């Protein structure tokens, strides 16, 4: 059992008002009155200062008061005991004082019920984890199939890379396609690395998708190319997601606007020479 003597979180002083609160009851002094109110529907045993006991039930919000002129015969320590805790509080000449709260140890049946509930919750989390992992595996397989399909579409004449058949001015990507890439990045980069740089996105997302076809990400998505309307520069070590958000917030026609952006327009899997 753990006992708290007037814990800071349970006691507040507002002007001349003193207030104490437990999970089941609230006690306060105001003017010439000392009040007690039920926080929730509660059944309890009350022990009066003279040692007499009584079982009682209150509905949430039900309360009663003791006037100073009527309370002299009730002065002393009161005990309110519920299933979960015991409240000892003294009714003195100035009202309630010396609030003490004791949490009761859980019964064996309650402990077993809690353990069962925790096991069920853990089993549910494991099912959700497996379902999420399955969805992620299916998404990756679908993305790989789509990349292969795009690669087949972008195959030019034998020995000629499709990038050489499409003018650089048409190596464009739409805002909508850029946002879809951002969603892929959010799904991939989690667990402590949820804000990857442009460099990380290129290395771990764009290159794997474009390696088979040896084209840029923009041409992979748009095999015939898209005429660019807006040239955008970027820093390799800036946040990729913030970069996309900035563009989306700046351009009112973001989804349909066609951008020329280095990491998407240039073929990132080509040798440096």
């Amino acid at each position: 059992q753990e006992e708290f003597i007037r814990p800071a979180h349970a006691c507040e002083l507002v002007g001349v008002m003193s207030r104490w609160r437990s999970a089941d009851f609230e006690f306060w002094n105001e003017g010439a009155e000392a009040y007690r109110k039920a926080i929730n529907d509660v059944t309890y045993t009350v022990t009066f200062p003279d040692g007499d006991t009584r079982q009682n039930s209150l509905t949430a919000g039900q309360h009663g008061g003791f006037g100073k002129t009527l309370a002299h015969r009730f002065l002393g320590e009161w005990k309110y005991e519920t299933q979960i805790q015991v409240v000892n509080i003294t009714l003195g000449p100035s009202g309630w004082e010396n609030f003490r709260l004791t949490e009761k140890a859980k019964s064996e049946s309650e402990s077993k019920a809690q353990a069962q509930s925790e096991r069920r919750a853990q089993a549910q989390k494991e099912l959700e984890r497996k379902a999420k992992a399955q969805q992620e595996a299916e998404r990756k397989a679908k993305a790989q199939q789509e990349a292969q399909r795009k690669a087949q579409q972008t195959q030019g004449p034998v020995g000629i890379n499709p990038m050489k058949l499409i003018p650089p001015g048409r190596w464009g990507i739409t805002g909508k396609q850029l946002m879809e890439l951002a969603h892929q990045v959010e799904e991939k980069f989690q667990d402590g690395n949820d804000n990857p740089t442009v460099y990380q996105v290129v290395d771990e997302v764009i290159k794997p998708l474009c390696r088979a076809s040896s084209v840029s990400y923009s041409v992979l998505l748009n095999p015939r190319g898209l005429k660019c309307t807006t040239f955008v520069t970027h820093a390799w070590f800036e946040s990729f997601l913030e970069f996309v958000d900035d563009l989306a917030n700046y351009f009112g026609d973001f989804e349909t606007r066609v951008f020329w952006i280095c990491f998407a327009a240039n073929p990132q899997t080509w040798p440096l020479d």
Side-chain angles (χ1 to χ4, degrees):
Q1 295 185 349
E2 192 170 1
E3 185 174 278
F4 302 87
I5 306 299
R6 293 183 64 177
H9 69 272
C11 174
E12 61 177 6
L13 299 177
V14 182
V16 296
M17 182 186 295
S18 297
R19 188 183 300 269
W20 295 268
R21 182 186 179 105
S22 71
D24 295 314
F25 300 102
E26 186 172 10
F27 304 87
W28 73 95
N29 306 321
E30 188 172 4
E33 295 286 333
Y35 292 92
R36 174 228 59 214
K37 182 176 71 173
I39 303 299
N40 305 298
D41 294 345
V42 62
T43 298
Y44 63 95
T45 299
V46 59
T47 303
F48 297 94
D50 61 4
D52 188 21
T53 61
R54 183 184 305 170
Q55 288 190 335
N56 198 4
S57 295
L58 293 175
T59 58
Q62 188 174 355
H63 69 280
F66 301 92
K68 286 183 180 179
T69 58
L70 300 176
H72 64 277
R73 67 189 183 94
F74 297 116
L75 298 181
E77 184 171 294
W78 293 61
K79 182 169 75 171
Y80 292 85
E81 183 172 0
T82 68
Q83 290 184 342
I84 63 173
Q85 57 188 203
V86 177
V87 172
N88 293 82
I89 189 166
T90 301
L91 184 60
S94 301
W96 295 117
E97 57 189 30
N98 194 28
F99 174 89
R100 290 177 296 158
L101 171 65
T102 304
E103 301 289 347
K104 296 174 66 175
K106 294 181 179 179
S107 67
E108 184 177 354
S109 60
E110 289 176 321
S111 299
K112 287 183 178 179
Q114 181 177 355
Q116 291 176 350
S117 177
E118 292 175 352
R119 285 195 295 269
R120 286 194 295 268
Q122 188 64 31
Q124 181 63 31
K125 286 183 180 180
E126 182 63 16
L127 288 175
E128 292 175 356
R129 185 192 67 78
K130 289 181 178 180
K132 186 176 181 180
Q134 179 65 25
Q135 292 175 353
E136 178 65 12
E138 292 175 354
R139 185 195 66 76
K140 288 182 178 179
K142 184 177 180 180
Q144 186 176 8
Q145 292 175 356
E146 181 67 12
Q148 292 175 348
R149 185 184 68 82
K150 293 284 188 180
Q152 293 174 353
Q153 289 181 346
T154 55
Q155 294 302 315
V158 177
I160 300 179
N161 188 288
M163 295 291 297
K164 297 182 178 181
L165 302 177
I166 302 174
R170 296 183 62 85
W171 295 353
I173 184 172
T174 67
K176 182 178 181 181
Q177 291 172 333
L178 199 59
M179 188 60 72
E180 290 172 351
L181 176 60
H183 292 326
Q184 292 184 49
V185 170
E186 287 177 328
E187 291 180 2
K188 179 175 180 59
F189 289 89
Q190 298 179 13
D191 301 329
N193 184 24
D194 56 357
N195 193 24
T197 64
V198 173
Y199 178 84
Q200 289 174 305
V201 171
V202 168
D203 200 45
E204 299 186 37
V205 179
I206 291 179
K207 284 184 178 180
L209 291 174
C210 298
R211 187 165 286 113
S213 59
S214 192
V215 297
S216 71
Y217 186 72
S218 295
V219 173
L220 179 69
L221 299 182
N222 308 292
R224 295 185 178 182
L226 290 178
K227 184 178 181 181
C228 302
T229 60
T230 305
F231 177 87
V232 181
T233 60
H234 68 85
W236 282 92
F237 285 95
E238 71 175 309
S239 164
F240 174 83
L241 297 177
E242 290 179 9
F243 170 79
V244 176
D245 284 342
D246 287 343
L247 291 180
N249 292 329
Y250 187 82
F251 294 103
D253 59 346
F254 170 74
E255 287 198 353
T256 57
R257 185 175 287 261
V258 182
F259 299 96
W260 200 104
I261 307 173
C262 173
F263 64 76
N266 286 329
Q268 300 297 332
T269 58
W270 283 17
L272 293 180
D273 58 355

